[in-house]
Amino acid sequence: MIKQQKEVIIIGAGLAGCEAARQLSKRGVKSVLFDIKPQRMTPAHSNPCFAELVCSNSLKSEDVLTASGLLKAEMRIMDSLVLSAAEGCRVAAGTALAVDRDLFSEKITEIIKNDANITIKCGEVSVFDKDAVYIVAAGPLCTPALLSEISRLCGSGNLSFYDAAAPIVTEESIDFESAFRGARYGKGGDDYINCPMDKQQYLSFLNALITADIVKLKDFEDGSVFEGCMPVEVLAKRGGDAIRFGPLKPVGLTCPDGTKPYAAVQLRREKAAGEIFNIVGFQTNLTFKAQKQVFSLIPALKNAEFVRYGVMHRNSFLNAPKVLDGCGRLKAAPNIFIAGQLSGVEGYMESAVSGIMAGINAAGLVLGRPLITLSADTMTGALFNYLTNASEKHFQPMNANFGILNPLAVANKKARYQAFYDRAINEITRAFPVVI
């Protein structure tokens, strides 16, 4: 137990930081939540509220037989703030949980500000007191001063890569003569707008995409790109069918005239009212002019009005296997928990669950209780297991996926995924028998 510890200091009011603060509060532990907003903004942020969603408004599938759905099921048992807030802000997106991102951030900000156990301070923290407990959830755009201090504590374990956000278009500018509504395989009704292309249209688009002008990146250490946020033009340069088996895959779609598209771009609603849509999987580093020219070659988007063009920004993370312990603490400073993307997880829900665990264990450290770890039978435990045991030399951030779970010898895929779910929920329920 940390003697005379009155408050846990949380750095960053993103998904992870807000989850951590809420978990601490539920256990009667006060926290001080620091964020540089609204006085300062990172290159990727524009909303003064907490828990801003930058890349996409989708929190991925809720189907429990998917990796992202299993993670959500575990988080609900752990009483996730993010999931409870998302319920009142959702927009139709098939089996995915997508939200009106502005309402979502406003809701979480309201909850945090009204919690008597959470004190909010606008400012930067870049020096650590060895006798205090910290949760660093500053996100991938950690301020230089804080990043420098963490690097000092961790040695050479700090890395960086580029992250990308997709463009958004208005619904009224979409040419529905060349588009149709519907989800893949008919699951989810008319939640998506599909923009089909025949072979010649696809090849023309592909050629323009791989030859288009890109933004010259500055102020970064290198140009490495995490696979999960791969810019569409980078993926396209890997081969003629690379994007046709990726964001433009036509499987599960049938045009109104009964034909199968050669390739198809999907649009997902951004707002509950459905007035604006993001181009799914089209994170990009093309110049704004090039985005207008190239994306307008998609027949349904020939007259598209772009309310936001795609952007790229810096993303930082730690070499987790080298610098973090199994509870997400710095080995060199075990009073400091690292949560969110800085810890080496990738994705909204992955960041949020790392914040949940950081809040739970920071409370345990303050109250003198045992810290909680979960096995790789659970998706939450598997993520932490990956952070602890992945290759130090080739470490890259990780999304939730079935490949990181402890394996099961079940041949049938659907039955195996069901067994993964049953096993994980049994362990999570034992670890958290009562939602606090």
Side-chain angles (χ1 to χ4, degrees), residues 36 43 58 69 73 124 175 185 211 314 345 355 372 381 401:
I36 61 174
S58 174
E124 181 179 11
D175 181 5
Y185 303 106
T211 58
R314 178 172 61 86
V345 297
I372 294 175
N401 66 87

Side-chain angles (χ1 to χ4, degrees), residues 316-345:
S316 301
F317 62 93
L318 295 175
N319 186 350
K322 185 175 182 179
V323 303
L324 298 182
D325 70 11
C327 292
R329 298 183 295 176
L330 290 178
K331 294 177 182 177
N335 61 315
I336 302 174
F337 292 85
I338 307 294
Q341 286 184 261
L342 191 62
S343 71
V345 297

Side-chain angles (χ1 to χ4, degrees), residues 58-388:
S58 174
L59 305 180
K60 295 187 177 180
S61 178
E62 290 190 287
D63 184 347
V64 297
L65 300 187
T66 66
S68 59
L70 173 56
L71 181 60
K72 290 182 185 65
E74 295 176 6
M75 292 171 66
R76 285 192 172 93
I77 294 173
M78 292 186 275
D79 198 19
S80 164
L81 167 64
V82 166
L83 286 176
S84 62
E87 288 301 325
C89 311
R90 65 163 67 225
V91 298
T95 58
L97 174 58
V99 299
D100 181 317
R101 67 177 79 201
D102 292 333
L103 292 178
F104 174 77
S105 293
E106 290 168 7
K107 179 67 173 177
I108 289 184
T109 303
E110 179 185 9
I111 292 170
I112 294 296
K113 286 186 174 180
N114 288 329
D115 193 315
N117 284 330
I118 304 171
T119 300
I120 298 168
K121 291 189 177 182
C122 180
E124 181 179 11
V125 178
S126 59
V127 178
F128 297 104
D129 180 345
K130 64 181 178 60
D131 294 321
V133 174
Y134 295 85
I135 297 174
V136 179
L141 299 179
C142 190
T143 63
L146 177 57
L147 198 61
S148 176
E149 179 63 8
I150 294 173
S151 296
R152 184 188 68 79
L153 291 171
C154 299
S156 59
N158 204 25
L159 305 173
S160 65
F161 67 105
Y162 295 115
D163 201 358
I168 297 174
V169 300
T170 63
E171 181 178 16
E172 64 183 4
S173 70
I174 299 167
D175 181 5
F176 282 94
E177 296 269 330
S178 302
F180 63 95
R181 298 180 185 273
R184 296 188 191 280
Y185 303 106
K187 295 182 178 180
D190 295 337
D191 297 342
Y192 289 85
I193 296 174
N194 303 289
C195 308
M197 288 188 274
D198 61 29
K199 184 173 182 179
Q200 187 55 54
Q201 291 166 339
Y202 171 78
L203 293 175
S204 296
F205 169 77
L206 177 66
N207 181 66
L209 180 62
I210 62 178
T211 58
D213 293 334
I214 61 174
V215 177
K216 293 182 180 179
L217 299 170
K218 298 179 181 179
D219 301 325
F220 300 112
E221 295 178 2
D222 58 55
S224 58
V225 182
F226 172 56
E227 293 288 326
C229 286
M230 179 69 62
V232 65
E233 66 275 8
V234 174
L235 180 60
K237 292 175 183 178
R238 293 184 172 182
D241 280 333
I243 56 174
R244 204 166 71 86
F245 290 110
L248 279 77
K249 60 181 179 288
V251 296
L253 297 173
T254 302
C255 297
D257 62 4
T259 61
K260 300 288 187 180
Y262 185 78
V265 174
Q266 285 199 306
L267 310 179
R268 181 176 56 229
R269 70 184 72 227
E270 272 285 324
K271 307 290 289 184
E275 298 160 349
I276 56 175
F277 284 73
N278 67 64
I279 310 178
V280 177
F282 269 52
Q283 298 91 346
T284 183
N285 191 41
L286 298 185
T287 65
F288 289 176
K289 181 179 180 181
Q291 289 182 51
K292 176 66 174 176
Q293 292 173 340
V294 175
F295 299 154
S296 294
L297 292 175
I298 300 168
L301 301 183
K302 62 184 178 183
N303 298 314
E305 176 188 359
F306 291 82
V307 298
R308 185 190 75 189
Y309 286 105
V311 295
M312 287 193 73
H313 54 84
R314 178 172 61 86
N315 214 336
S316 301
F317 62 93
L318 295 175
N319 186 350
K322 185 175 182 179
V323 303
L324 298 182
D325 70 11
C327 292
R329 298 183 295 176
L330 290 178
K331 294 177 182 177
N335 61 315
I336 302 174
F337 292 85
I338 307 294
Q341 286 184 261
L342 191 62
S343 71
V345 297
E346 174 61 25
Y348 290 149
M349 303 313 295
E350 292 85 345
S351 295
V353 79
S354 74
I356 290 174
M357 293 302 294
I360 291 169
N361 281 328
L365 193 59
V366 169
L367 299 172
R369 298 173 181 172
L371 303 194
I372 294 175
T373 58
L374 298 167
S375 80
D377 287 352
T378 68
M379 192 60 71
T380 301
L383 285 167
F384 277 85
N385 180 68
Y386 172 81
L387 296 183
T388 305

Side-chain angles (χ1 to χ4, degrees), residues 21-38:
R22 192 65 166 164
Q23 292 292 334
L24 285 161
S25 178
K26 288 175 180 294
R27 289 159 176 79
V29 178
K30 295 182 181 294
S31 65
V32 182
L33 179 60
F34 281 87
D35 200 280
I36 61 174
K37 287 181 176 184

Side-chain angles (χ1 to χ4, degrees), residues 70 74 77 374-379 382 401-410 415-431:
L70 173 56
E74 295 176 6
I77 294 173
L374 298 167
S375 80
D377 287 352
T378 68
M379 192 60 71
N401 66 87
F402 287 132
I404 61 174
L405 289 172
N406 288 332
L408 283 171
V410 179
R416 184 167 66 254
Y417 292 171
Q418 181 66 55
F420 280 149
Y421 171 80
D422 293 339
R423 183 181 67 176
I425 296 305
N426 283 337
E427 179 172 336
I428 292 289
T429 303
R430 289 196 302 270

